[in-house]
Amino acid sequence: MTSNPLAGQTALITGAGRGIGAAIAASLSALGATVVLTGRTRAHLEQTARALPAPSEVMPCDVQDLASVEQVAARIRQTFGRLDILINNAGIGGFSSPLHKLPPEQWDAILNTNLRGVFYCIRAFTPLLLERGGHIVNISSLAGKNALPNGAAYSASKWGLNGLTYSVAEELRASNIRVSVVCPGSVNTELSPHAGKDHSKMLQPADVAHVVAMLVTQAPRSFASEVLLRPSQKP
Ligand SMILES: NC(=O)c1ccc[n+]([C@@H]2O[C@H](COP(=O)([O-])OP(=O)(O)OC[C@H]3O[C@@H](n4cnc5c(N)ncnc54)[C@H](OP(=O)(O)O)[C@@H]3O)[C@@H](O)[C@H]2O)c1
């Protein structure tokens, strides 16, 4: 593989201000892509941008707000005229309440970010991707494969995201857009305190970024539709 296999390509990462999204931005930037960093907090996005090996663009947006997502799509068309890679990474947690005690507004926030937000991004950015083909990678979770007591809304959002991904992968397969989902176990970020786990044994954001880099540099004839990512040692 050449050292910059993504040279000339544009990659958008949601939730790029910290954690897994910031690590994915670093990885794709190092592979030669021009990365577009999105999230709600401009200062965090600018912090990510400063650490990248190549120039990037900061375009704040809230994935719960279709108009703000569509504004980013218009800016990408105007600035770059292309989009090759969409990484739907933005997400929020919610791991401290059984479902029957969960306030409905927390249900709404989790589902609107983790599932509806991905729909909005696919709706806004797929027209750009269709022009040349490309990749969509959705960051789900092992909570989208398993039961998660006290995290039912989060789990439901990720089970939904997996079903959305498998379906959209078939919708776009013939149009040269490869759609994949990555389901990591616990990752050492601010999303959750991961009480009782040994943080040194947990997955790190760079581990997820490595998988994303593999997916978007896969030779054209095939694609890995789903990756379940586990730490080598149980944390
Ligand atoms: N950490 C884990 O154990 C783990 C395991 C499996 C999967 N995941 C998934 O990995 C993804 C990234 O999580 P992380 O662990 O890196 O969490 P994190 O450190 O909390 O980062 C989440 C990012 O998403 C952004 N975000 C949240 N709501 C948003 C919105 N409405 N619009 C745009 N951006 C928004 C946040 O920025 P702003 O608040 O500034 O918008 C932040 O940059 C999530 O989808 C998560 O479910 C995490």
Side-chain angles (χ1 to χ4, degrees):
M1 195 199 297
T2 57
S3 62
N4 55 356
L6 303 181
Q9 296 192 28
T10 304
L12 180 142
I13 302 136
T14 67
R18 61 169 188 257
I20 294 168
I24 295 171
S27 171
L28 300 190
S29 180
L31 290 171
T34 299
V35 295
V36 178
L37 308 169
T38 74
R40 292 170 299 180
T41 314
R42 177 182 281 279
H44 294 172
L45 301 174
E46 287 172 348
Q47 199 173 7
T48 299
R50 281 195 291 277
L52 296 180
S56 60
E57 286 280 332
V58 166
M59 299 188 188
C61 88
D62 181 345
V63 298
Q64 298 179 86
D65 175 5
L66 181 58
S68 91
V69 174
E70 285 175 339
Q71 277 166 17
V72 170
R75 275 189 67 189
I76 288 177
R77 184 174 289 288
Q78 198 177 28
T79 310
F80 302 109
R82 65 186 289 170
L83 182 68
D84 304 277
I85 297 168
L86 167 63
I87 312 293
N88 287 309
N89 165 78
I92 59 171
F95 310 110
S96 57
S97 169
L99 188 68
H100 68 279
K101 293 186 179 164
L102 186 77
E105 52 277 17
Q106 278 187 36
W107 168 275
D108 287 344
I110 292 166
L111 271 291
N112 287 348
T113 306
N114 298 1
L115 188 53
R116 183 183 285 262
V118 176
F119 161 50
Y120 284 172
C121 288
I122 287 174
R123 183 178 161 80
F125 298 118
T126 297
L128 273 159
L129 289 165
L130 280 169
E131 292 175 13
R132 295 166 195 266
H135 290 267
I136 299 174
V137 180
N138 294 335
I139 307 300
S140 181
S141 169
L142 286 182
K145 300 298 247 179
N146 301 319
L148 184 63
N150 295 321
Y154 181 81
S155 180
S157 74
K158 295 301 190 179
W159 278 79
L161 179 57
N162 290 355
L164 177 152
T165 308
Y166 311 143
S167 306
V168 174
E170 293 306 314
E171 289 170 2
L172 297 178
R173 198 169 174 178
S175 304
N176 196 26
I177 299 177
R178 296 184 281 177
V179 186
S180 307
V181 64
V182 182
C183 300
S186 298
V187 187
N188 192 13
T189 71
E190 291 177 31
L191 186 87
S192 159
H194 297 293
K197 294 206 172 172
D198 179 343
H199 287 224
S200 68
K201 290 183 183 162
M202 278 166 52
L203 294 168
Q204 302 300 319
D207 298 321
V208 184
H210 180 71
V211 170
V212 172
M214 289 196 297
L215 291 172
V216 300
T217 55
Q218 172 74 8
R221 199 173 52 203
S222 65
F223 74 109
S225 54
E226 180 173 52
V227 178
L228 310 188
L229 187 68
R230 305 175 196 279
S232 306
Q233 296 175 44
K234 259 189 175 291

